[in-house]
Amino acid sequence: MAPAKILVVDDDIAVRNLIHRFLSKQDDYVVESAEDGKTALALFEQLNPNLVILDVNLPDTTGYQLCQEMQGRTGVFIMMLTSRNDEEDVVRGFEKGADDYLTKPFSLAELGARVAAVLKRQRTITPAQQQGIVLGDLLIDPGSREVTLNNEPVPLTALEFDLLHFLASHPGRVWRRSELLQEVWDYDYVGDQRVVDVHIGQIRRKIEGNSNKPSMIQTVRGVGYKFEAPSSSAS
């Protein structure tokens, strides 16, 4: 198997070099690094990385903007790296398409575990999964990775699509957060399980008429979440 390509973007030279040296010592990775957004985008085009480790604060842009731009070009995995730990910053990172979020200071062991875990995920859809899902006025097309509701496109990040598609594929089934992390993230997530709640909240705001009283993605108190098929407005 070819080595995974990783791009490290951080304006702090000490942090950038530390991550670069640590990951470069492993045979499974090819690593490049950049100190600003302009250099990062140029390397992104050349390298076509599997994963970008992206600092939030950059001299010429923000990690959030760069995350959105990179994910708009490819299905690259994004790990946000920042000294902030406010929930708003975590939510914003996931809104822009981040797959994981690591706060400074961090241990190299944790970084290594997170990187390995993210790279285990697969975004490819097998032929058996290509069949679209039609539930009332909600259409989920795994082939094009597009979602429409009442014939209107719903803009979802890669992880939001994966989570919605999985839940909608098992209507009525109750899933614990730990089960969703294993099934959708496809690994034993080593971070905060609130990552599930953040993504559920984002999906609800995009597909529910009233996200405070969701009808499709329902909370099962003390357990987790389940998906209930919407009724068609054509009835």
Side-chain angles (χ1 to χ4, degrees), residues 43 149 207:
L43 284 171
L149 181 63
I207 70 170

Side-chain angles (χ1 to χ4, degrees), residues 128-216:
Q129 295 174 298
Q130 291 285 353
Q131 186 69 34
I133 298 174
V134 181
L135 298 167
D137 294 317
L138 183 70
L139 171 62
I140 303 171
D141 184 346
S144 62
R145 296 183 64 82
E146 294 177 347
V147 174
T148 59
L149 181 63
N150 298 318
N151 295 318
E152 293 292 327
V154 180
L156 298 177
T157 68
L159 263 175
E160 289 167 2
F161 179 89
D162 292 343
L163 182 54
L164 176 60
H165 179 258
F166 179 78
L167 287 170
S169 299
H170 306 85
R173 163 76 187 270
V174 180
W175 297 91
R176 298 181 182 276
R177 290 171 181 81
S178 58
E179 291 176 319
L180 289 173
L181 287 168
Q182 183 63 54
E183 295 289 343
V184 178
W185 276 250
D186 197 24
Y187 61 83
D188 294 320
Y189 186 74
V190 293
D192 194 330
Q193 289 194 2
R194 286 183 308 165
V195 66
V196 175
D197 303 331
V198 171
H199 282 84
I200 291 289
Q202 290 303 119
I203 297 170
R204 281 172 169 169
R205 279 187 277 276
K206 295 176 181 180
I207 70 170
E208 300 278 6
N210 182 351
S211 61
N212 293 320
K213 294 182 179 179
S215 60
M216 284 185 271

Side-chain angles (χ1 to χ4, degrees), residues 5 22 31 86 126 130 133 188 202 222 227:
K5 293 175 287 186
F22 173 72
V31 187
D86 293 337
T126 62
Q130 291 285 353
I133 298 174
D188 294 320
Q202 290 303 119
F227 185 91

Side-chain angles (χ1 to χ4, degrees), residues 21-76:
R21 284 197 300 268
F22 173 72
L23 295 176
S24 295
K25 290 178 180 177
Q26 304 183 47
D27 295 335
D28 296 336
Y29 305 139
V30 172
V31 187
E32 295 286 350
S33 58
E35 63 182 9
D36 55 40
K38 182 179 180 180
T39 307
L41 282 176
L43 284 171
F44 183 83
E45 293 295 335
Q46 296 172 22
L47 186 65
N48 189 24
N50 304 100
L51 169 68
V52 178
I53 300 174
L54 184 57
D55 189 34
V56 166
N57 296 309
L58 297 169
D60 57 348
T61 185
T62 68
Y64 302 123
Q65 292 174 320
L66 210 53
C67 172
Q68 195 169 29
E69 186 164 355
M70 288 176 170
Q71 285 231 323
R73 300 186 186 195
T74 73
V76 66

